[in-house]
Amino acid sequence: MQRPLDVLGSSTDKRIIIKTKSGDSIFGILKAFDSHINIWLDEASIDGEKEVKLGKVLIRGDSIVYISPEK
Amino acid sequence: MQRPLDVLGSSTDKRIIIKTKSGDSIFGILKAFDSHINIWLDEASIDGEKEVKLGKVLIRGDSIVYISPEK
Amino acid sequence: MQRPLDVLGSSTDKRIIIKTKSGDSIFGILKAFDSHINIWLDEASIDGEKEVKLGKVLIRGDSIVYISPEK
Amino acid sequence: MQRPLDVLGSSTDKRIIIKTKSGDSIFGILKAFDSHINIWLDEASIDGEKEVKLGKVLIRGDSIVYISPEK
Amino acid sequence: MQRPLDVLGSSTDKRIIIKTKSGDSIFGILKAFDSHINIWLDEASIDGEKEVKLGKVLIRGDSIVYISPEK
Amino acid sequence: MQRPLDVLGSSTDKRIIIKTKSGDSIFGILKAFDSHINIWLDEASIDGEKEVKLGKVLIRGDSIVYISPEK
Amino acid sequence: MQRPLDVLGSSTDKRIIIKTKSGDSIFGILKAFDSHINIWLDEASIDGEKEVKLGKVLIRGDSIVYISPEK
């Protein structure tokens, strides 16, 4: 049986987009996640009012609306 | 006895609409869900200020107001 | 002794109104609920800025302010 | 020793006022409550922008700011 | 060793001020509290846009910012 | 190994500043804290739209953004 | 297997940036963190409407959106 977090398992080392409750979009390469949907991205950038390069970033799970692999 | 999450169980591999607390509508094919109502959609698109194709997406349960199968 | 969720137990298969924290009113026939007050409605419609027919819908308990049987 | 929820225990079958986080005032006769402060009112009405008669209502505890017996 | 809730233990039967997340100030005599910081006040009044006498009131802990004994 | 709450342990009986999610700054002498980061201050004042002297105050942990010892 | 909080483990005694849900950016040297992502920074400053030097600061985990090591 499939589970929702399998979306993350199959995206490790690939580029994903994260939409936060604060309205920002964070892009980067998924390195790790846990059951709280805390996320570690590498080569990340954030696209809010202006794009900012973040490099490595830890995003707290409870600030996330959705996560999508880049096509 | 029926339970609310049976709505999801009977909608697997069918198109559903998800309304988020941030006011977005996300459409797609339900692939998986868990007890936190975390949702995995395929062929998803989001209809906020403008429609954006997402493809595969994981939606965090605590950002969801309601979920409805498409008619 | 009575408990608050008995309001729901006595409303199964009857029409109820749900007010959400996002300010919407959702109407429909109560089919099932659980201890988190997650709700499954049939023949539902939502009355926000404009009325939309939803059909079957699962409403997440933590987005609900109150629930009232229709008179 | 007294506990805060004793305010509710001594108000059963009496009229109370509930103030919600959404800014509404809900009036009615207290029929039941639980440890989450979920509340069942009878003969309830809500006094927001305009007064609406609700009859029987279940109010979710986590949407409540305060509860006060009517004088 | 002292604990934060000792502020409440030493204020029983004395007048306190409660500031809520909704921006209201509630004044009254502390009768009881619990570990969730749910509060029972007697002879309470609320000082929002206008002062309203509440009498006895139960305030839900998770709607509170701070509590201070009156000087 | 150090833990974040050691910042509080080393600040007991010293002046600290607390920033709340409601945007207020509360100043005072730290008397006690617990694992929820509930805080008891003495000789406290709050610096919102105008400064108000609070004296003794209990601040609920979940309304706090950050806490900093005064320099 | 890697976990998201490893981003913090490898950043101890290094400068990081924390973005809070209130929209502030807090900069400083990471001294300690725990499983709730509560954070202790030294030599911290906050860059909101104006930059303020904080020195030592404890940031509550549930007010954090993301954390990134400075490049």
Side-chain angles (χ1 to χ4, degrees), chain F residues 2-4 7-8 21 36-37 61-62 64-69 71, chain G residues 26 31-34 38-40 46 53-54 56-60 62-63:
Chain F
Q2 292 176 309
R3 295 162 303 167
V7 172
L8 299 177
K21 292 176 182 169
H36 304 288
I37 314 189
D62 79 336
I64 293 173
V65 179
Y66 64 80
I67 301 171
S68 181
K71 283 159 291 189
Chain G
I26 305 179
K31 298 308 289 181
F33 64 93
D34 62 22
N38 293 317
I39 300 282
W40 163 8
I46 181 166
K53 289 195 183 303
L54 293 171
K56 188 184 292 191
V57 67
L58 166 65
I59 302 162
R60 214 172 181 271
D62 79 336
S63 65

PDB file of all heavy atoms in Angstrom, chain F residues 2-4 7-8 21 36-37 61-62 64-69 71, chain G residues 26 31-34 38-40 46 53-54 56-60 62-63:
ATOM      1  N   GLN F   2      25.126  21.070  25.355  1.00  0.00           N
ATOM      2  CA  GLN F   2      24.261  22.190  25.717  1.00  0.00           C
ATOM      3  C   GLN F   2      22.883  22.027  25.088  1.00  0.00           C
ATOM      4  O   GLN F   2      22.726  21.404  24.038  1.00  0.00           O
ATOM      5  CB  GLN F   2      24.887  23.501  25.243  1.00  0.00           C
ATOM      6  CG  GLN F   2      26.165  23.835  26.013  1.00  0.00           C
ATOM      7  CD  GLN F   2      26.815  25.077  25.483  1.00  0.00           C
ATOM      8  OE1 GLN F   2      27.035  25.190  24.290  1.00  0.00           O
ATOM      9  NE2 GLN F   2      27.126  26.011  26.370  1.00  0.00           N
ATOM     10  N   ARG F   3      21.875  22.622  25.741  1.00  0.00           N
ATOM     11  CA  ARG F   3      20.504  22.611  25.224  1.00  0.00           C
ATOM     12  C   ARG F   3      19.988  24.046  25.163  1.00  0.00           C
ATOM     13  O   ARG F   3      20.428  24.908  25.939  1.00  0.00           O
ATOM     14  CB  ARG F   3      19.604  21.779  26.149  1.00  0.00           C
ATOM     15  CG  ARG F   3      19.987  20.294  26.185  1.00  0.00           C
ATOM     16  CD  ARG F   3      19.383  19.624  27.386  1.00  0.00           C
ATOM     17  NE  ARG F   3      19.801  20.310  28.614  1.00  0.00           N
ATOM     18  CZ  ARG F   3      19.259  20.127  29.813  1.00  0.00           C
ATOM     19  NH1 ARG F   3      18.259  19.276  29.949  1.00  0.00           N
ATOM     20  NH2 ARG F   3      19.688  20.779  30.873  1.00  0.00           N
ATOM     21  N   PRO F   4      19.031  24.312  24.257  1.00  0.00           N
ATOM     22  CA  PRO F   4      18.575  25.700  24.082  1.00  0.00           C
ATOM     23  C   PRO F   4      18.058  26.336  25.376  1.00  0.00           C
ATOM     24  O   PRO F   4      18.308  27.511  25.630  1.00  0.00           O
ATOM     25  CB  PRO F   4      17.450  25.568  23.043  1.00  0.00           C
ATOM     26  CG  PRO F   4      17.758  24.313  22.306  1.00  0.00           C
ATOM     27  CD  PRO F   4      18.417  23.398  23.282  1.00  0.00           C
ATOM     28  N   VAL F   7      19.860  28.757  27.967  1.00  0.00           N
ATOM     29  CA  VAL F   7      19.835  30.230  27.922  1.00  0.00           C
ATOM     30  C   VAL F   7      19.008  30.760  29.087  1.00  0.00           C
ATOM     31  O   VAL F   7      19.365  31.770  29.716  1.00  0.00           O
ATOM     32  CB  VAL F   7      19.242  30.735  26.584  1.00  0.00           C
ATOM     33  CG1 VAL F   7      19.037  32.242  26.626  1.00  0.00           C
ATOM     34  CG2 VAL F   7      20.117  30.334  25.411  1.00  0.00           C
ATOM     35  N   LEU F   8      17.919  30.076  29.391  1.00  0.00           N
ATOM     36  CA  LEU F   8      17.062  30.504  30.494  1.00  0.00           C
ATOM     37  C   LEU F   8      17.693  30.144  31.846  1.00  0.00           C
ATOM     38  O   LEU F   8      17.661  30.932  32.789  1.00  0.00           O
ATOM     39  CB  LEU F   8      15.682  29.865  30.358  1.00  0.00           C
ATOM     40  CG  LEU F   8      14.935  30.246  29.072  1.00  0.00           C
ATOM     41  CD1 LEU F   8      13.609  29.512  28.992  1.00  0.00           C
ATOM     42  CD2 LEU F   8      14.715  31.748  29.003  1.00  0.00           C
ATOM     43  N   LYS F  21       4.265  36.646  19.897  1.00  0.00           N
ATOM     44  CA  LYS F  21       3.693  36.543  18.556  1.00  0.00           C
ATOM     45  C   LYS F  21       2.719  37.681  18.270  1.00  0.00           C
ATOM     46  O   LYS F  21       2.458  38.000  17.113  1.00  0.00           O
ATOM     47  CB  LYS F  21       2.986  35.191  18.396  1.00  0.00           C
ATOM     48  CG  LYS F  21       3.967  34.027  18.387  1.00  0.00           C
ATOM     49  CD  LYS F  21       3.278  32.673  18.328  1.00  0.00           C
ATOM     50  CE  LYS F  21       4.337  31.563  18.372  1.00  0.00           C
ATOM     51  NZ  LYS F  21       3.762  30.228  18.584  1.00  0.00           N
ATOM     52  N   HIS F  36       7.654  23.877  28.713  1.00  0.00           N
ATOM     53  CA  HIS F  36       6.807  24.498  27.681  1.00  0.00           C
ATOM     54  C   HIS F  36       7.259  25.929  27.374  1.00  0.00           C
ATOM     55  O   HIS F  36       6.658  26.604  26.550  1.00  0.00           O
ATOM     56  CB  HIS F  36       5.348  24.544  28.128  1.00  0.00           C
ATOM     57  CG  HIS F  36       4.785  23.216  28.493  1.00  0.00           C
ATOM     58  ND1 HIS F  36       4.503  22.262  27.564  1.00  0.00           N
ATOM     59  CD2 HIS F  36       4.469  22.686  29.705  1.00  0.00           C
ATOM     60  CE1 HIS F  36       4.026  21.188  28.170  1.00  0.00           C
ATOM     61  NE2 HIS F  36       4.000  21.422  29.473  1.00  0.00           N
ATOM     62  N   ILE F  37       8.311  26.386  28.074  1.00  0.00           N
ATOM     63  CA  ILE F  37       8.822  27.759  27.984  1.00  0.00           C
ATOM     64  C   ILE F  37       7.775  28.747  28.513  1.00  0.00           C
ATOM     65  O   ILE F  37       7.762  29.923  28.146  1.00  0.00           O
ATOM     66  CB  ILE F  37       9.299  28.112  26.549  1.00  0.00           C
ATOM     67  CG1 ILE F  37      10.167  26.961  25.967  1.00  0.00           C
ATOM     68  CG2 ILE F  37      10.135  29.376  26.532  1.00  0.00           C
ATOM     69  CD1 ILE F  37      10.874  27.292  24.639  1.00  0.00           C
ATOM     70  N   GLY F  61       4.007  29.971  27.123  1.00  0.00           N
ATOM     71  CA  GLY F  61       5.083  29.630  26.214  1.00  0.00           C
ATOM     72  C   GLY F  61       4.699  29.698  24.749  1.00  0.00           C
ATOM     73  O   GLY F  61       5.476  30.168  23.910  1.00  0.00           O
ATOM     74  N   ASP F  62       3.510  29.271  24.411  1.00  0.00           N
ATOM     75  CA  ASP F  62       3.178  29.180  22.981  1.00  0.00           C
ATOM     76  C   ASP F  62       2.860  30.539  22.368  1.00  0.00           C
ATOM     77  O   ASP F  62       2.548  30.606  21.178  1.00  0.00           O
ATOM     78  CB  ASP F  62       2.037  28.191  22.740  1.00  0.00           C
ATOM     79  CG  ASP F  62       0.688  28.771  23.061  1.00  0.00           C
ATOM     80  OD1 ASP F  62       0.621  29.719  23.856  1.00  0.00           O
ATOM     81  OD2 ASP F  62      -0.310  28.276  22.506  1.00  0.00           O
ATOM     82  N   ILE F  64       5.210  32.942  22.587  1.00  0.00           N
ATOM     83  CA  ILE F  64       6.553  33.551  22.556  1.00  0.00           C
ATOM     84  C   ILE F  64       7.267  33.244  21.241  1.00  0.00           C
ATOM     85  O   ILE F  64       7.242  32.110  20.769  1.00  0.00           O
ATOM     86  CB  ILE F  64       7.391  33.034  23.747  1.00  0.00           C
ATOM     87  CG1 ILE F  64       6.799  33.551  25.066  1.00  0.00           C
ATOM     88  CG2 ILE F  64       8.864  33.419  23.605  1.00  0.00           C
ATOM     89  CD1 ILE F  64       7.443  32.978  26.310  1.00  0.00           C
ATOM     90  N   VAL F  65       7.917  34.270  20.638  1.00  0.00           N
ATOM     91  CA  VAL F  65       8.781  34.066  19.479  1.00  0.00           C
ATOM     92  C   VAL F  65      10.225  33.842  19.943  1.00  0.00           C
ATOM     93  O   VAL F  65      10.852  32.856  19.587  1.00  0.00           O
ATOM     94  CB  VAL F  65       8.727  35.265  18.505  1.00  0.00           C
ATOM     95  CG1 VAL F  65       9.660  35.031  17.315  1.00  0.00           C
ATOM     96  CG2 VAL F  65       7.305  35.501  18.013  1.00  0.00           C
ATOM     97  N   TYR F  66      10.754  34.800  20.750  1.00  0.00           N
ATOM     98  CA  TYR F  66      12.121  34.608  21.245  1.00  0.00           C
ATOM     99  C   TYR F  66      12.312  35.282  22.594  1.00  0.00           C
ATOM    100  O   TYR F  66      11.510  36.138  22.996  1.00  0.00           O
ATOM    101  CB  TYR F  66      13.170  35.079  20.235  1.00  0.00           C
ATOM    102  CG  TYR F  66      13.178  36.552  19.922  1.00  0.00           C
ATOM    103  CD1 TYR F  66      13.774  37.479  20.769  1.00  0.00           C
ATOM    104  CD2 TYR F  66      12.604  37.024  18.754  1.00  0.00           C
ATOM    105  CE1 TYR F  66      13.796  38.835  20.469  1.00  0.00           C
ATOM    106  CE2 TYR F  66      12.615  38.371  18.437  1.00  0.00           C
ATOM    107  CZ  TYR F  66      13.215  39.272  19.304  1.00  0.00           C
ATOM    108  OH  TYR F  66      13.230  40.613  18.999  1.00  0.00           O
ATOM    109  N   ILE F  67      13.369  34.869  23.264  1.00  0.00           N
ATOM    110  CA  ILE F  67      13.715  35.356  24.597  1.00  0.00           C
ATOM    111  C   ILE F  67      15.201  35.674  24.592  1.00  0.00           C
ATOM    112  O   ILE F  67      16.008  34.855  24.162  1.00  0.00           O
ATOM    113  CB  ILE F  67      13.432  34.288  25.666  1.00  0.00           C
ATOM    114  CG1 ILE F  67      11.950  33.894  25.650  1.00  0.00           C
ATOM    115  CG2 ILE F  67      13.864  34.762  27.049  1.00  0.00           C
ATOM    116  CD1 ILE F  67      11.633  32.693  26.526  1.00  0.00           C
ATOM    117  N   SER F  68      15.556  36.865  25.111  1.00  0.00           N
ATOM    118  CA  SER F  68      16.964  37.265  25.076  1.00  0.00           C
ATOM    119  C   SER F  68      17.339  37.942  26.394  1.00  0.00           C
ATOM    120  O   SER F  68      16.628  38.828  26.870  1.00  0.00           O
ATOM    121  CB  SER F  68      17.190  38.223  23.894  1.00  0.00           C
ATOM    122  OG  SER F  68      18.526  38.607  23.813  1.00  0.00           O
ATOM    123  N   PRO F  69      18.470  37.518  27.026  1.00  0.00           N
ATOM    124  CA  PRO F  69      18.941  38.238  28.217  1.00  0.00           C
ATOM    125  C   PRO F  69      19.307  39.671  27.849  1.00  0.00           C
ATOM    126  O   PRO F  69      19.859  39.906  26.760  1.00  0.00           O
ATOM    127  CB  PRO F  69      20.194  37.451  28.645  1.00  0.00           C
ATOM    128  CG  PRO F  69      20.161  36.166  27.879  1.00  0.00           C
ATOM    129  CD  PRO F  69      19.354  36.415  26.643  1.00  0.00           C
ATOM    130  N   LYS F  71      21.508  42.958  27.801  1.00  0.00           N
ATOM    131  CA  LYS F  71      22.976  43.087  27.853  1.00  0.00           C
ATOM    132  C   LYS F  71      23.388  44.090  28.925  1.00  0.00           C
ATOM    133  O   LYS F  71      22.642  44.987  29.264  1.00  0.00           O
ATOM    134  CB  LYS F  71      23.499  43.519  26.473  1.00  0.00           C
ATOM    135  CG  LYS F  71      23.526  42.359  25.493  1.00  0.00           C
ATOM    136  CD  LYS F  71      23.526  42.861  24.070  1.00  0.00           C
ATOM    137  CE  LYS F  71      22.173  43.505  23.752  1.00  0.00           C
ATOM    138  NZ  LYS F  71      22.002  43.839  22.336  1.00  0.00           N
TER     139      LYS F  71
ATOM    140  N   ILE G  26      16.497  36.365  11.863  1.00  0.00           N
ATOM    141  CA  ILE G  26      17.395  36.419  13.013  1.00  0.00           C
ATOM    142  C   ILE G  26      18.697  35.731  12.621  1.00  0.00           C
ATOM    143  O   ILE G  26      18.686  34.610  12.125  1.00  0.00           O
ATOM    144  CB  ILE G  26      16.758  35.750  14.251  1.00  0.00           C
ATOM    145  CG1 ILE G  26      15.395  36.392  14.557  1.00  0.00           C
ATOM    146  CG2 ILE G  26      17.686  35.844  15.454  1.00  0.00           C
ATOM    147  CD1 ILE G  26      14.671  35.804  15.750  1.00  0.00           C
ATOM    148  N   LYS G  31      24.421  27.703  18.920  1.00  0.00           N
ATOM    149  CA  LYS G  31      25.063  27.070  20.080  1.00  0.00           C
ATOM    150  C   LYS G  31      24.395  25.756  20.446  1.00  0.00           C
ATOM    151  O   LYS G  31      25.070  24.823  20.901  1.00  0.00           O
ATOM    152  CB  LYS G  31      25.016  28.023  21.290  1.00  0.00           C
ATOM    153  CG  LYS G  31      25.760  29.333  21.090  1.00  0.00           C
ATOM    154  CD  LYS G  31      27.180  29.154  20.620  1.00  0.00           C
ATOM    155  CE  LYS G  31      28.110  28.589  21.678  1.00  0.00           C
ATOM    156  NZ  LYS G  31      29.494  28.459  21.187  1.00  0.00           N
ATOM    157  N   ALA G  32      23.074  25.667  20.286  1.00  0.00           N
ATOM    158  CA  ALA G  32      22.375  24.437  20.674  1.00  0.00           C
ATOM    159  C   ALA G  32      20.981  24.421  20.058  1.00  0.00           C
ATOM    160  O   ALA G  32      20.430  25.471  19.730  1.00  0.00           O
ATOM    161  CB  ALA G  32      22.267  24.336  22.197  1.00  0.00           C
ATOM    162  N   PHE G  33      20.440  23.194  19.888  1.00  0.00           N
ATOM    163  CA  PHE G  33      19.060  23.006  19.406  1.00  0.00           C
ATOM    164  C   PHE G  33      18.525  21.725  20.024  1.00  0.00           C
ATOM    165  O   PHE G  33      19.288  20.924  20.556  1.00  0.00           O
ATOM    166  CB  PHE G  33      19.037  22.926  17.875  1.00  0.00           C
ATOM    167  CG  PHE G  33      19.777  21.745  17.319  1.00  0.00           C
ATOM    168  CD1 PHE G  33      19.125  20.551  17.053  1.00  0.00           C
ATOM    169  CD2 PHE G  33      21.143  21.823  17.065  1.00  0.00           C
ATOM    170  CE1 PHE G  33      19.817  19.448  16.555  1.00  0.00           C
ATOM    171  CE2 PHE G  33      21.847  20.726  16.579  1.00  0.00           C
ATOM    172  CZ  PHE G  33      21.183  19.543  16.322  1.00  0.00           C
ATOM    173  N   ASP G  34      17.213  21.559  19.970  1.00  0.00           N
ATOM    174  CA  ASP G  34      16.610  20.312  20.469  1.00  0.00           C
ATOM    175  C   ASP G  34      15.611  19.773  19.429  1.00  0.00           C
ATOM    176  O   ASP G  34      15.486  20.343  18.337  1.00  0.00           O
ATOM    177  CB  ASP G  34      15.962  20.530  21.840  1.00  0.00           C
ATOM    178  CG  ASP G  34      14.830  21.540  21.809  1.00  0.00           C
ATOM    179  OD1 ASP G  34      14.248  21.788  20.730  1.00  0.00           O
ATOM    180  OD2 ASP G  34      14.512  22.099  22.868  1.00  0.00           O
ATOM    181  N   ASN G  38      13.782  24.181  18.957  1.00  0.00           N
ATOM    182  CA  ASN G  38      14.133  25.356  19.751  1.00  0.00           C
ATOM    183  C   ASN G  38      15.613  25.629  19.506  1.00  0.00           C
ATOM    184  O   ASN G  38      16.410  24.689  19.419  1.00  0.00           O
ATOM    185  CB  ASN G  38      13.908  25.092  21.250  1.00  0.00           C
ATOM    186  CG  ASN G  38      12.448  24.920  21.613  1.00  0.00           C
ATOM    187  OD1 ASN G  38      11.583  25.659  21.140  1.00  0.00           O
ATOM    188  ND2 ASN G  38      12.152  23.932  22.456  1.00  0.00           N
ATOM    189  N   ILE G  39      15.973  26.910  19.382  1.00  0.00           N
ATOM    190  CA  ILE G  39      17.323  27.283  18.950  1.00  0.00           C
ATOM    191  C   ILE G  39      17.936  28.276  19.936  1.00  0.00           C
ATOM    192  O   ILE G  39      17.267  29.218  20.361  1.00  0.00           O
ATOM    193  CB  ILE G  39      17.273  27.962  17.555  1.00  0.00           C
ATOM    194  CG1 ILE G  39      16.678  27.024  16.509  1.00  0.00           C
ATOM    195  CG2 ILE G  39      18.660  28.477  17.143  1.00  0.00           C
ATOM    196  CD1 ILE G  39      17.597  25.959  16.003  1.00  0.00           C
ATOM    197  N   TRP G  40      19.221  28.053  20.263  1.00  0.00           N
ATOM    198  CA  TRP G  40      19.990  29.016  21.048  1.00  0.00           C
ATOM    199  C   TRP G  40      21.068  29.607  20.137  1.00  0.00           C
ATOM    200  O   TRP G  40      21.888  28.883  19.596  1.00  0.00           O
ATOM    201  CB  TRP G  40      20.608  28.327  22.260  1.00  0.00           C
ATOM    202  CG  TRP G  40      21.733  29.049  22.931  1.00  0.00           C
ATOM    203  CD1 TRP G  40      22.193  30.305  22.718  1.00  0.00           C
ATOM    204  CD2 TRP G  40      22.570  28.510  23.963  1.00  0.00           C
ATOM    205  NE1 TRP G  40      23.246  30.589  23.540  1.00  0.00           N
ATOM    206  CE2 TRP G  40      23.492  29.508  24.324  1.00  0.00           C
ATOM    207  CE3 TRP G  40      22.618  27.290  24.632  1.00  0.00           C
ATOM    208  CZ2 TRP G  40      24.459  29.311  25.322  1.00  0.00           C
ATOM    209  CZ3 TRP G  40      23.583  27.096  25.610  1.00  0.00           C
ATOM    210  CH2 TRP G  40      24.488  28.104  25.950  1.00  0.00           C
ATOM    211  N   ILE G  46      18.555  40.835  14.913  1.00  0.00           N
ATOM    212  CA  ILE G  46      17.284  40.607  14.238  1.00  0.00           C
ATOM    213  C   ILE G  46      17.067  41.720  13.228  1.00  0.00           C
ATOM    214  O   ILE G  46      17.306  42.894  13.507  1.00  0.00           O
ATOM    215  CB  ILE G  46      16.122  40.497  15.240  1.00  0.00           C
ATOM    216  CG1 ILE G  46      14.804  40.238  14.533  1.00  0.00           C
ATOM    217  CG2 ILE G  46      16.011  41.724  16.120  1.00  0.00           C
ATOM    218  CD1 ILE G  46      13.705  39.782  15.466  1.00  0.00           C
ATOM    219  N   LYS G  53      20.446  44.439  17.820  1.00  0.00           N
ATOM    220  CA  LYS G  53      21.378  43.443  18.361  1.00  0.00           C
ATOM    221  C   LYS G  53      20.744  42.778  19.575  1.00  0.00           C
ATOM    222  O   LYS G  53      20.245  43.447  20.474  1.00  0.00           O
ATOM    223  CB  LYS G  53      22.705  44.112  18.739  1.00  0.00           C
ATOM    224  CG  LYS G  53      23.509  44.549  17.518  1.00  0.00           C
ATOM    225  CD  LYS G  53      24.967  44.864  17.878  1.00  0.00           C
ATOM    226  CE  LYS G  53      25.721  45.368  16.654  1.00  0.00           C
ATOM    227  NZ  LYS G  53      25.690  44.430  15.501  1.00  0.00           N
ATOM    228  N   LEU G  54      20.746  41.443  19.571  1.00  0.00           N
ATOM    229  CA  LEU G  54      20.112  40.695  20.650  1.00  0.00           C
ATOM    230  C   LEU G  54      21.142  40.037  21.563  1.00  0.00           C
ATOM    231  O   LEU G  54      20.838  39.730  22.707  1.00  0.00           O
ATOM    232  CB  LEU G  54      19.211  39.597  20.073  1.00  0.00           C
ATOM    233  CG  LEU G  54      17.976  40.054  19.312  1.00  0.00           C
ATOM    234  CD1 LEU G  54      17.322  38.860  18.630  1.00  0.00           C
ATOM    235  CD2 LEU G  54      16.981  40.726  20.245  1.00  0.00           C
ATOM    236  N   LYS G  56      22.710  36.986  23.101  1.00  0.00           N
ATOM    237  CA  LYS G  56      22.267  35.606  23.274  1.00  0.00           C
ATOM    238  C   LYS G  56      20.742  35.553  23.123  1.00  0.00           C
ATOM    239  O   LYS G  56      20.040  36.434  23.638  1.00  0.00           O
ATOM    240  CB  LYS G  56      22.683  35.140  24.672  1.00  0.00           C
ATOM    241  CG  LYS G  56      22.469  33.669  24.952  1.00  0.00           C
ATOM    242  CD  LYS G  56      22.825  33.319  26.395  1.00  0.00           C
ATOM    243  CE  LYS G  56      24.314  33.438  26.659  1.00  0.00           C
ATOM    244  NZ  LYS G  56      24.683  32.856  27.982  1.00  0.00           N
ATOM    245  N   VAL G  57      20.212  34.560  22.428  1.00  0.00           N
ATOM    246  CA  VAL G  57      18.760  34.491  22.255  1.00  0.00           C
ATOM    247  C   VAL G  57      18.299  33.038  22.148  1.00  0.00           C
ATOM    248  O   VAL G  57      18.999  32.184  21.593  1.00  0.00           O
ATOM    249  CB  VAL G  57      18.311  35.306  21.013  1.00  0.00           C
ATOM    250  CG1 VAL G  57      18.819  34.673  19.729  1.00  0.00           C
ATOM    251  CG2 VAL G  57      16.797  35.445  20.947  1.00  0.00           C
ATOM    252  N   LEU G  58      17.123  32.768  22.729  1.00  0.00           N
ATOM    253  CA  LEU G  58      16.429  31.484  22.594  1.00  0.00           C
ATOM    254  C   LEU G  58      15.217  31.714  21.699  1.00  0.00           C
ATOM    255  O   LEU G  58      14.356  32.539  22.015  1.00  0.00           O
ATOM    256  CB  LEU G  58      15.964  30.991  23.963  1.00  0.00           C
ATOM    257  CG  LEU G  58      14.946  29.849  23.971  1.00  0.00           C
ATOM    258  CD1 LEU G  58      15.545  28.572  23.398  1.00  0.00           C
ATOM    259  CD2 LEU G  58      14.434  29.598  25.392  1.00  0.00           C
ATOM    260  N   ILE G  59      15.158  30.975  20.581  1.00  0.00           N
ATOM    261  CA  ILE G  59      14.023  31.117  19.642  1.00  0.00           C
ATOM    262  C   ILE G  59      13.163  29.872  19.743  1.00  0.00           C
ATOM    263  O   ILE G  59      13.663  28.746  19.665  1.00  0.00           O
ATOM    264  CB  ILE G  59      14.547  31.298  18.202  1.00  0.00           C
ATOM    265  CG1 ILE G  59      15.461  32.528  18.148  1.00  0.00           C
ATOM    266  CG2 ILE G  59      13.385  31.443  17.216  1.00  0.00           C
ATOM    267  CD1 ILE G  59      16.353  32.558  16.934  1.00  0.00           C
ATOM    268  N   ARG G  60      11.858  30.091  19.927  1.00  0.00           N
ATOM    269  CA  ARG G  60      10.942  28.950  20.093  1.00  0.00           C
ATOM    270  C   ARG G  60      10.727  28.264  18.740  1.00  0.00           C
ATOM    271  O   ARG G  60      10.392  28.920  17.749  1.00  0.00           O
ATOM    272  CB  ARG G  60       9.616  29.459  20.638  1.00  0.00           C
ATOM    273  CG  ARG G  60       8.969  28.458  21.555  1.00  0.00           C
ATOM    274  CD  ARG G  60       7.758  29.033  22.231  1.00  0.00           C
ATOM    275  NE  ARG G  60       7.174  28.060  23.123  1.00  0.00           N
ATOM    276  CZ  ARG G  60       6.251  27.189  22.751  1.00  0.00           C
ATOM    277  NH1 ARG G  60       5.801  27.184  21.525  1.00  0.00           N
ATOM    278  NH2 ARG G  60       5.760  26.319  23.630  1.00  0.00           N
ATOM    279  N   ASP G  62       8.408  26.542  17.338  1.00  0.00           N
ATOM    280  CA  ASP G  62       7.160  26.621  16.575  1.00  0.00           C
ATOM    281  C   ASP G  62       6.928  27.991  15.950  1.00  0.00           C
ATOM    282  O   ASP G  62       5.903  28.196  15.304  1.00  0.00           O
ATOM    283  CB  ASP G  62       5.966  26.195  17.427  1.00  0.00           C
ATOM    284  CG  ASP G  62       5.505  27.285  18.354  1.00  0.00           C
ATOM    285  OD1 ASP G  62       6.311  28.163  18.686  1.00  0.00           O
ATOM    286  OD2 ASP G  62       4.335  27.263  18.759  1.00  0.00           O
ATOM    287  N   SER G  63       7.870  28.930  16.136  1.00  0.00           N
ATOM    288  CA  SER G  63       7.757  30.226  15.460  1.00  0.00           C
ATOM    289  C   SER G  63       8.681  30.314  14.244  1.00  0.00           C
ATOM    290  O   SER G  63       8.795  31.374  13.635  1.00  0.00           O
ATOM    291  CB  SER G  63       8.066  31.362  16.441  1.00  0.00           C
ATOM    292  OG  SER G  63       9.396  31.302  16.858  1.00  0.00           O
TER     293      SER G  63
END
